[in-house]
Amino acid sequence: MKKLEVFCLDDTESREIDSIHRGFRGDIYVKVKEEYFNLNFYDIIRLKQDFETEIEVYGVFSSEPNMIIVEEVKKELIIRSVKNLFKRKYFDQIKPLSNAKLQNLELFLFSK
C-alpha cells in the first residue's frame, strides 16, 4: 500500500494552464495512509494580490486553510512540494477531511 498519493478534481492541460495563470489551485487532495487532506496552492504574486484586496476591503487578511506557497502553481512543483511536506511530517499537524466532505468528490490521480 502506498503511504502517499496526490489527487485533483481536474487533471486536464487546460486546468494546468489556468492554475499557472491564476497563481492558485485549490483542488489538490493528498491521501496519507487512509486520511485525505485538501491543500491550497498559491504563488507569491496571487497571495500578494489577495492580501492587498482583503486588507483594502475588510481591513484584515485571512489565509486559506492548508495554504502552500510555491514558486509557480504547476503540477511538477505541486507534487514535489507534497513529497517534501510529507517528509517533513506536515500532514501530522493538520486536520484531515471528514468522510462527509469526501462523499461527492470524484478524484483523479495527480501524477507525472
Side-chain angles (χ1 to χ4, degrees), residues 62-91:
S62 174
S63 66
E64 292 284 336
N66 305 332
M67 179 190 295
I68 309 298
I69 302 167
V70 290
E71 184 178 342
E72 190 174 22
V73 183
K74 54 190 220 184
K75 189 180 220 176
E76 64 222 32
L77 292 178
I78 290 171
I79 292 170
R80 186 180 330 145
S81 297
V82 168
K83 288 178 180 178
N84 188 306
L85 292 168
F86 178 74
K87 288 178 189 173
R88 294 171 49 203
K89 302 199 182 302
Y90 173 78
F91 298 98

Side-chain angles (χ1 to χ4, degrees), residues 7-57:
F7 297 89
C8 65
L9 296 179
D10 182 354
D11 195 21
T12 60
E13 186 177 340
S14 62
R15 175 60 190 235
E16 168 89 353
I17 292 167
D18 182 58
S19 296
I20 292 168
H21 289 313
R22 290 178 47 225
F24 171 76
R25 183 143 190 182
D27 74 327
I28 302 299
Y29 294 83
V30 178
K31 182 179 180 186
V32 178
K33 298 179 185 170
E34 295 303 315
E35 296 181 311
Y36 287 84
F37 303 86
N38 178 223
L39 300 181
N40 294 291
F41 285 85
Y42 281 79
D43 68 20
I44 196 67
I45 295 168
R46 172 64 184 266
L47 179 60
K48 186 177 184 292
Q49 290 169 341
D50 286 359
F51 169 79
E52 290 171 348
T53 299
E54 286 197 27
I55 290 295
E56 184 179 314
V57 174

